[in-house]
Amino acid sequence: MRHFKHIGVLLLLVSISISVIAQSPTWTEVAPGVWKATIGKPEAFDLLKAAGSIPNKEALGAITKAGFPFSKADIAARTQDGKTSLRFPLQKEEQVYGFGLNFQTVHQRGKILQLHVDHFGGKDNGRNHAPTPFYVSSLGYGVFINAARYITVYAGAGVRKDSKNPPVAKDRNTDKSWAARPYSDAVEILVPAGGVEVYVFAGPTPLDAVRRFNLFSGGGCLPPRWGLGFTQRVQRLYNAGDVKKEANDFEQKGYPLDYIGLEPGWQSKSYPCTFEWDKTRFPQPQQFVKEMLDKGIRLNLWLNPYVSPEASIYKPILPYTGSHTVWVGAVPDFTMPQARKLFFDQLKKDQVSIGISGYKIDEVDGYDHYLWPDVATFPSGNSAEQLRQTYGVLAQRYSTDLYRQQNSRTFGLVRASNGGAASFPYVIYNDYYNHEDFITALINSGFAGVLWTPEVRASKTGEEWLRRFQTVIFSPMAMINAWSSGTKPWSYPEVAEQVKQLALLRMQMMPYWYTEFARYHYEGIPPFRAMNLEAGFRQEVKKEAVNENLEQNPYAEAASKEIKDQYMAGEYLLVAPLFTGQTTRKVILPKGKWYDFYTGAYAGDGEIITVTPGLDKIPVYVKDGGIIPMMPAMLHAPKAGEQVDLEVRYYGEKPGLYKLYDDDGETFNYEKGAYSWRTITVSKDANGQLKGNISAPVTGKPNTIGKVTFTMMTK
């Protein structure tokens, strides 16, 4: 009997040892500066497959060469009980950023997160609209976990007993420096799958790592010019007459407007949806769309992708839907071609083919009690969890394809995204409405490979309205979302003129914004991003610097606390918003001279400044040598091929250089080479006078630039 007991114990130990497989990952360079390792047996469906990402290897090769960013021996992986765990090293002074579209924190070291697509619930716990499993180190590298799963992250939050750099055990009774969260020297990640692909992105700088991640996803999106104009979303039950009146009011009052968003009432039924026009509110959809296009106004339609039993596609699509419903609507399995064809053919037939310019894709994020439960099944065999993590990505991908088929770009809104989706022309929004947190999300969007809009809806005061409007103008999408409030730009008369001037400034800056989005596409540089990615804004400081006077050493402040209320907008602009009730604020200027955007006055160099801009202005600063191309303040974006004059503003003392992007502004012809970069320079001549120049148009390429003048913003 004793022998049998020994045999049983031996078999148990053998079975335990077999279930745990440790692995030293083998890294293969799959693109310039990008390495991949395969742990265990990865699942057939993952984030990159959902997005259909095609790396831009040529652009990746143009980034400064860099080797594997840390010791491969310090990376560990194992599979156990159908799960995969990973460990990456952290140095003592290293900070990490990323892990998705966080709203309240920029520094992620010390956090425990579950990366789970969800509506933002007020906590940075990993559950958000784009829980991208990608992090960036202040030391200049990035790590991406290619799994469509709920991933748990311990970002320097777990202490191993075999740590190479363990924290010192302290006596809480006597040592005031005792900490409940001891120092940890690793990022540890748990993936609930028997294997996973892991990618490491070299720098050499943190921005280079982000660029490589975006370019590996195909490069950032390039919206049409009109997408960077002004957007008004109207109340949910507006009819055709209401929409026409809204457009006329904008024109008569002199406010720019490029597209109007129609909310749920455009459909015959919604929540769940029929995806068919309501013929009482819109009796002649095709004629209505044409009339709006003739006025220079495009239309964007709200939807959520859950099919009403009264929809014409309900019965044919039913076999290709999940086991559970959302608001009693069938959930198409977008990983199946049959479901995609039925669903997106309906959008094409009834909307895209008559000139609808884009979509607002709602409710593809959460909450848990809204969407299908994790016990749901789908006919493709992909799990409910995998569909939850990728549903927003799939909706973006296949709706974008509708516009590719007719060679017409789109720009829309979505409530969920994930890794690999940077190339899709969608901006994330939500139901949350904290202004300060909106700016933190805008900062974090640059780490997550997504775009975010701090949209304006309503305000308690004119001051709040203007402050919110100021930030939305310096964001990816300048939008009022009035689906519930019915607000207009002029709804607060005491600030209506300031709002108009801001909206017109947005239009004036279109050449700059359009070029910065082109850089996002071709070079992977996020158009809106954290100060931590800016050269001259130090990510690490020596220990002794932290104790120095913060007023004398801005880098000490940058290292000792998160900077989540100022950000970079394009190559040259630093934006520092004010919020309701504030009259002054501090701005941390990176090394190098900076100048006031509005006046050209010198602002500072590598220092903290205190500014009192007044209510009418949002503080914006320009790098030394900065060039900002601007156009006349038009009420609509230029049409395809339309030429506009340029005013080139130059700031500072250094020689200036800017590559100005140009294409037709509406089609995908740029993917076939129909685009150009024209070089703008400003330098001093032999007499010390500043002179500007722009290179000649490229023969055979689009040229939408008319007369060019230079304004030297020097004081």
Side-chain angles (χ1 to χ4, degrees):
M1 189 72 177
R2 183 180 300 171
H3 293 296
F4 286 116
K5 287 183 178 179
H6 287 317
I7 291 171
V9 171
L10 180 61
L11 289 172
L12 177 62
L13 291 173
V14 169
S15 67
I16 292 174
S17 66
I18 290 173
S19 67
V20 181
I21 302 175
Q23 183 175 338
S24 295
T26 299
W27 297 94
T28 303
E29 191 169 9
V30 293
V34 183
W35 287 265
K36 171 184 170 182
T38 301
I39 314 300
K41 185 178 180 181
E43 295 180 297
F45 183 69
D46 57 38
L47 295 178
L48 295 181
K49 289 188 179 68
S53 302
I54 300 175
N56 186 338
K57 294 187 178 181
E58 181 180 355
L60 285 163
I63 301 175
T64 303
K65 290 185 179 180
F68 198 85
F70 41 73
S71 171
K72 295 176 182 177
D74 291 335
I75 305 171
R78 68 174 183 177
T79 58
Q80 179 180 1
D81 299 332
K83 300 177 181 179
T84 301
S85 62
L86 308 162
R87 186 169 76 251
F88 296 89
L90 283 176
Q91 294 186 22
K92 189 75 175 179
E93 304 299 331
E94 192 173 358
Q95 185 53 261
V96 293
Y97 315 100
F99 295 121
L101 189 67
N102 296 298
F103 280 72
Q104 296 173 336
T105 55
V106 176
H107 293 177
Q108 301 306 321
R109 186 161 185 168
K111 302 281 289 293
I112 300 173
L113 308 165
Q114 187 184 55
L115 305 184
H116 188 308
V117 167
D118 201 355
H119 184 78
F120 178 67
K123 296 180 180 179
D124 277 359
N125 58 5
R127 296 181 73 119
N128 60 55
H129 302 279
T132 309
F134 172 69
Y135 73 90
V136 185
S137 165
S138 59
L139 298 186
Y141 66 85
V143 176
F144 174 59
I145 312 302
N146 183 27
R149 290 288 180 179
Y150 304 152
I151 297 172
T152 304
V153 175
Y154 302 86
V159 181
R160 291 182 60 87
K161 65 182 181 181
D162 60 354
S163 168
K164 291 183 177 180
N165 301 289
V168 177
K170 297 180 179 180
D171 182 359
R172 186 178 184 183
N173 294 329
T174 60
D175 193 338
K176 292 183 178 180
S177 68
W178 181 90
R181 297 183 179 183
Y183 160 80
S184 168
D185 65 352
V187 173
E188 296 184 282
I189 297 170
L190 183 64
V191 183
V196 67
E197 290 181 350
V198 183
Y199 293 85
V200 168
F201 298 84
T205 69
L207 179 57
D208 289 330
V210 170
R211 291 177 62 195
R212 291 188 200 273
F213 174 66
N214 288 334
L215 291 170
F216 196 74
S217 302
C221 73
L222 180 55
R225 279 193 176 91
W226 57 260
L228 300 178
F230 193 80
T231 306
Q232 175 83 2
R233 301 205 69 86
V234 297
Q235 282 186 297
R236 66 186 183 91
L237 296 181
Y238 263 31
N239 59 33
D242 297 327
V243 176
K244 293 176 187 178
K245 182 180 183 304
E246 189 108 325
N248 289 335
D249 287 347
F250 268 79
E251 184 176 5
Q252 291 172 8
K253 293 176 183 292
Y255 287 80
L257 182 62
D258 269 296
Y259 72 103
I260 288 177
L262 307 185
E263 291 294 311
W266 75 269
Q267 293 186 57
S268 58
K269 299 220 182 300
S270 62
Y271 293 92
C273 297
T274 58
F275 316 102
E276 298 161 6
W277 291 91
D278 182 279
K279 292 303 176 69
T280 59
R281 298 188 187 95
F282 299 93
Q284 296 177 303
Q286 187 167 354
Q287 180 180 328
F288 165 65
V289 173
K290 183 180 184 303
E291 287 180 23
M292 297 305 294
L293 287 171
D294 289 344
K295 292 174 64 68
I297 307 294
R298 288 164 174 80
L299 296 174
N300 174 287
L301 302 182
W302 173 97
L303 62 80
N304 65 40
Y306 311 119
V307 185
S308 168
E310 297 188 45
S312 60
I313 63 170
Y314 181 75
K315 287 185 178 179
I317 206 170
L318 202 59
Y320 310 110
T321 61
S323 60
H324 290 63
T325 63
V326 174
W327 291 303
V328 201
V331 181
D333 186 341
F334 285 155
T335 65
M336 300 186 72
Q338 301 95 322
R340 296 197 299 268
K341 179 170 177 51
L342 287 163
F343 184 89
F344 291 102
D345 276 1
Q346 167 63 19
L347 303 192
K348 181 178 180 180
K349 174 177 69 73
D350 256 15
Q351 299 126 47
V352 176
S353 66
I354 66 171
I356 290 298
S357 295
Y359 290 94
K360 173 184 176 182
I361 304 171
D362 204 5
E363 313 294 356
V364 287
D365 51 340
Y367 298 100
D368 287 348
H369 53 269
Y370 287 174
L371 296 194
W372 56 90
D374 288 346
V375 297
T377 58
F378 286 83
S380 64
N382 291 318
S383 72
E385 177 182 345
Q386 290 172 309
L387 267 293
R388 177 73 174 265
Q389 293 295 82
T390 60
Y391 210 69
V393 173
L394 294 165
Q396 292 176 74
R397 176 182 178 180
Y398 295 110
S399 58
T400 301
D401 282 352
L402 294 178
Y403 290 93
R404 284 190 172 279
Q405 292 166 17
Q406 62 177 31
N407 195 26
S408 177
R409 278 183 260 171
T410 184
F411 201 41
L413 292 150
V414 72
R415 278 273 288 267
S417 195
N418 214 319
S423 66
F424 299 137
Y426 280 89
V427 182
I428 297 175
Y429 71 102
N430 71 4
D431 289 336
Y432 188 61
Y433 201 52
N434 181 286
H435 193 185
E436 290 90 337
D437 289 356
F438 272 20
I439 301 307
T440 304
L442 184 58
I443 289 166
N444 280 317
S445 67
F447 295 117
V450 299
L451 300 172
W452 159 260
T453 175
E455 63 181 35
V456 187
R457 299 175 208 155
S459 297
K460 295 178 181 178
T461 64
E463 177 196 4
E464 181 189 351
W465 183 252
L466 185 55
R467 289 301 190 204
R468 286 184 177 274
F469 213 92
Q470 288 167 349
T471 54
V472 83
I473 291 302
F474 287 88
S475 83
M477 183 177 285
M479 178 175 70
I480 293 178
N481 186 1
W483 76 274
S484 175
S485 65
T487 50
K488 316 289 191 287
W490 52 87
S491 289
Y492 298 79
E494 66 271 32
V495 294
E497 183 58 31
Q498 293 98 313
V499 166
K500 179 189 289 187
Q501 294 308 313
L502 282 165
L504 292 171
L505 175 62
R506 173 73 176 199
M507 303 303 291
Q508 286 179 279
M509 295 182 68
M510 189 170 289
Y512 180 75
W513 298 130
Y514 195 58
T515 294
E516 294 308 314
F517 269 92
R519 296 180 75 214
Y520 185 36
H521 176 71
Y522 290 102
E523 301 176 30
I525 301 172
F528 301 89
R529 58 192 182 277
M531 298 304 304
N532 309 84
L533 297 178
E534 175 62 19
F537 192 86
R538 187 180 299 185
Q539 277 99 64
E540 307 88 33
V541 295
K542 295 180 179 179
K543 294 179 183 178
E544 60 267 22
V546 177
N547 297 319
E548 294 180 17
N549 187 320
L550 295 183
E551 293 294 338
Q552 301 300 318
N553 187 344
Y555 305 116
E557 180 158 344
S560 62
K561 73 172 188 178
E562 295 173 300
I563 305 303
K564 55 183 185 177
D565 62 353
Q566 64 180 68
Y567 59 93
M568 294 300 299
E571 183 174 359
Y572 287 125
L573 300 182
L574 187 162
V575 182
L578 275 79
F579 305 103
T580 305
Q582 291 183 334
T583 56
T584 66
R585 64 156 294 162
K586 291 181 178 180
V587 181
I588 300 178
L589 298 175
K591 285 184 178 179
K593 294 179 180 180
W594 293 81
Y595 298 84
D596 183 272
F597 170 72
Y598 306 98
T599 67
Y602 174 71
D605 180 350
E607 60 190 284
I608 298 175
I609 61 174
T610 299
V611 297
T612 307
L615 180 61
D616 294 354
K617 286 187 170 62
I618 176 174
V620 181
Y621 302 94
V622 189
K623 288 182 196 178
D624 193 6
I627 289 175
I628 310 297
M630 303 180 75
M631 73 178 199
M634 302 167 64
L635 295 185
H636 309 295
K639 298 177 182 178
E642 179 182 353
Q643 287 198 341
V644 295
D645 294 341
L646 282 187
E647 177 201 359
V648 177
R649 295 187 183 180
Y650 163 82
Y651 296 78
E653 301 174 353
K654 291 172 57 176
L657 185 147
Y658 192 69
K659 296 284 190 179
L660 180 69
Y661 179 75
D662 198 10
D663 65 16
D664 64 25
E666 292 187 9
T667 75
F668 287 96
N669 292 347
Y670 68 90
E671 294 182 341
K672 301 174 183 177
Y675 68 90
S676 67
W677 296 90
R678 294 179 65 180
T679 302
I680 300 174
T681 57
V682 175
S683 59
K684 291 182 180 179
D685 63 16
N687 298 319
Q689 297 297 310
L690 289 169
K691 298 292 183 182
N693 182 66
I694 182 169
S695 61
V698 181
T699 303
K701 301 290 187 179
N703 176 27
T704 64
I705 299 169
K707 181 182 177 182
V708 180
T709 59
F710 287 81
T711 302
M712 307 305 176
M713 302 288 290
T714 54
K715 297 290 183 181

